[in-house]
């Protein structure tokens, strides 16, 4: 059964969508959407004790987040979502704080370059640069967990595939929330869940994917990691809402990863929406997901 807090959030999102549909049909610009998200992020109340600080991570503007106590040798590299065209460390501070607390780790969130100004593979290059900077700072690859939500989860997988192909040291594990792994939007849930998803639409994904790929094939396995060779990747935790159009982006990737010999754990949270983890701890299902992430990360380190 869905909690009262989750039901209230779903009702709020449905009402917001109806209100937007009733407005005069003047299309919103990407720049307006970016500004609105950043403005909303400034109103977010961070958990007590959260500390953040800007840093240059090898030429990539980034932000450290800590929720003491932390093991300073342990780092979560958080790649933010936003359809590859919006979002920032600021929009993801609360999620970063919750991940810091879950992992007993510092969290580094790169402000990677966004489409359409900087299309694929600019974001992948920035993620790799930030990861390389961590290693240059003396952080062991085995002490890094890469995490991402939505497009950020897809970017995390792209980074892992690139590192594996280069024969480089891989992070210990990856946490992938509502991963976008199929830019072709061909997975069955894109149609099956189209009336259930209160946030994401197939058309919106196609538009965001077109901005990111800038004329390239959306089935490119470095961008649509559902089609990549997955053997040799570190352990994966995939969390996804049961009502998402992106449900199969996680479900099918988990299946293919297991066939390739990868330790892949899939958690489907019934009736939940896209990146519902943002609403921890206020929504019980979101907090349960954060607890699941904590257990996964701590198990990887033998805590």
């Amino acid at each position: 059964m869905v909690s009262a807090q989750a039901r209230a959030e779903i009702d709020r999102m449905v009402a917001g969508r109806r209100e937007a549909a009733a407005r005069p049909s003047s299309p919103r610009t990407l720049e307006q959407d970016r500004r609105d998200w950043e403005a909303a992020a400034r109103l977010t109340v961070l958990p007590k004790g959260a500390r953040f600080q800007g840093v240059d991570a090898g030429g990539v503007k980034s932000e450290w987040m800590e929720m003491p106590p932390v093991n300073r040798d342990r780092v979560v590299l958080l790649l933010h979502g936003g359809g590859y065209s919006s979002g920032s460390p600021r929009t993801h501070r609360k999620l970063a704080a919750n991940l810091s607390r879950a992992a007993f780790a510092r969290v580094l969130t790169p402000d990677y370059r966004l489409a359409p100004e900087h299309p694929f593979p600019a974001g992948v290059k920035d993620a790799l640069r930030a990861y390389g900077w961590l290693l240059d700072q003396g952080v062991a690859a085995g002490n890094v967990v890469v995490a991402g939500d939505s497009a950020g989860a897809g970017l995390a997988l792209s980074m892992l595939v690139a590192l594996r192909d280069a024969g480089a040291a891989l992070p210990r594990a990856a946490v992938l929330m509502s991963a976008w792994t199929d830019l072709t939007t061909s997975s069955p849930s894109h149609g099956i869940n189209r009336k259930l998803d209160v946030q994401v639409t197939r058309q919106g994904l196609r538009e965001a994917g077109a901005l990111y790929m800038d004329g390239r094939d959306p089935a490119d396995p470095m961008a649509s990691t559902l089609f990549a060779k997955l053997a040799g990747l570190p352990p994966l935790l995939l969390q996804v809402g049961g009502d998402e159009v992106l449900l199969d982006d996680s479900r099918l990737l988990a299946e293919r990863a297991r066939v390739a010999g990868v330790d892949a754990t899939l958690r489907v949270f019934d009736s939940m929406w896209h990146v519902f983890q943002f609403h921890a701890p206020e929504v019980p299902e979101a907090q349960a997901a954060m607890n699941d992430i904590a257990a996964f990360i701590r198990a990887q380190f033998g805590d």
Side-chain angles (χ1 to χ4, degrees):
M1 179 179 290
V2 177
S3 70
Q5 296 91 332
R7 174 52 56 192
E9 188 60 33
I10 292 168
D11 290 346
R12 185 193 65 78
M13 288 185 284
V14 170
R17 177 172 284 189
R18 287 175 179 164
E19 182 181 331
R23 292 191 197 116
S25 57
S26 53
R28 291 182 57 81
T29 66
L30 175 59
E31 192 55 43
Q32 286 174 318
D33 288 339
R34 287 173 173 173
R35 286 199 304 266
D36 286 352
W37 196 4
E38 293 287 335
R42 287 196 290 272
L43 302 177
T44 300
V45 178
L46 297 179
K48 186 176 180 179
R51 301 194 302 240
F52 58 88
Q53 182 178 10
V55 65
D56 184 325
V60 181
K61 185 179 177 182
S62 304
E63 188 171 277
W64 280 117
M65 173 64 75
E66 291 185 12
M67 277 287 293
V70 298
N71 179 343
R72 297 191 62 79
D73 293 330
R74 186 181 299 180
V75 174
V76 174
L77 177 62
L78 174 60
L79 300 173
H80 69 78
Y84 296 108
S85 58
S86 61
S88 71
R90 295 170 296 281
T91 62
H92 281 62
R93 278 176 181 160
K94 184 181 177 185
L95 182 61
N98 284 332
L99 286 171
S100 176
R101 178 159 48 196
F104 291 129
R106 296 183 291 162
V107 176
L108 181 71
T109 309
D111 199 2
Y112 62 85
R113 289 171 292 171
L114 300 174
E117 298 89 344
H118 304 284
F120 173 81
V124 182
K125 291 180 178 179
D126 287 354
L128 289 167
R129 190 181 304 172
Y131 177 68
W133 176 82
L134 282 174
L135 302 191
D136 290 343
Q137 299 303 300
V139 178
N143 283 345
V144 177
V145 173
V146 61
D149 67 291
S150 191
L155 184 58
L157 284 164
S158 297
M159 187 191 83
L160 292 176
V161 169
L163 289 170
R164 182 208 58 199
D165 289 351
L170 290 166
R172 180 174 290 267
V175 173
L176 310 170
M177 296 165 277
S178 297
W180 187 17
T181 67
D182 174 16
L183 271 66
T184 71
T185 67
S186 59
S187 299
S189 61
H190 286 274
I192 295 170
N193 281 356
R194 69 187 185 280
K195 293 183 179 180
L196 296 175
D197 197 315
V198 295
Q199 281 195 325
V200 179
T201 66
R202 175 181 272 175
Q203 182 59 32
L205 290 170
R206 286 175 173 169
E207 291 172 0
L211 291 178
Y212 181 53
M213 296 308 292
D214 192 32
R216 295 177 183 242
D217 183 0
D220 185 326
M222 186 55 72
S224 286
T225 44
L226 182 61
F227 310 121
K229 294 179 180 179
L230 302 173
L233 296 189
L236 309 175
L237 172 64
L238 297 102
Q239 294 183 341
V240 64
D243 284 359
E244 295 193 52
V245 294
L246 289 175
L247 173 60
D248 283 339
D249 286 50
S250 290
R251 187 158 56 189
L252 294 176
L253 187 124
E255 291 175 1
R256 295 177 187 184
R258 290 170 188 150
V259 169
V262 177
D263 178 2
T265 301
L266 174 67
R267 307 285 196 212
V268 179
F269 290 78
D270 292 343
S271 304
M272 290 298 103
W273 56 91
H274 188 60
V275 200
F276 64 97
Q277 296 88 342
F278 258 68
H279 297 274
E282 294 83 8
V283 172
E285 292 89 342
Q287 186 56 48
M290 294 307 304
N291 293 343
D292 184 49
I293 291 171
F296 172 79
I297 292 176
R298 293 173 189 175
Q300 300 307 311
F301 288 102
D303 290 353

